[in-house]
Amino acid sequence: QVQLVESGGGLVQPGGSLRLSCAPSVNILSFNHMGWYRQAPGKQRELVASITSGGSVTYADSVKGRSTISRDIVKDTMYLQMNNLKPEDSAVYYCYAREVLKAYWGQGTQVTVSS
């Protein structure tokens, strides 16, 4: 069973930065698509950023210019660097990874942006 282990969430002040990490239990090259979703209380889960095996990236308009998604093939880890965080970025962030026939989700990591 593939597992995705997330880390890096926490409490940060507005304008601050966080880097989320997602470490799969298998070789990261097993996946053709990876990314991050988030879900705030009372809201639907939304895509934040994604990256393909070829390195193509997409971002939600709400985080574009403030966030960077990347993969480290040597460390088998995916990252989401978030800068200039805003209170509306507060949510549980979920890592996902997709193979040809299956998709996997992490357990979620809480990000809270508050003064």
Side-chain angles (χ1 to χ4, degrees), residues 42-63:
K43 294 188 177 182
Q44 289 188 330
R45 190 174 294 192
E46 61 174 354
L47 177 66
V48 178
S50 66
I51 184 167
T52 68
S53 56
S56 297
V57 299
T58 58
Y59 298 97
D61 288 342
S62 57
V63 303

Side-chain angles (χ1 to χ4, degrees), residues 60-73:
D61 288 342
S62 57
V63 303
K64 200 172 292 183
R66 301 188 293 122
S67 298
T68 303
I69 188 171
S70 62
R71 297 182 308 165
D72 187 323
I73 295 173

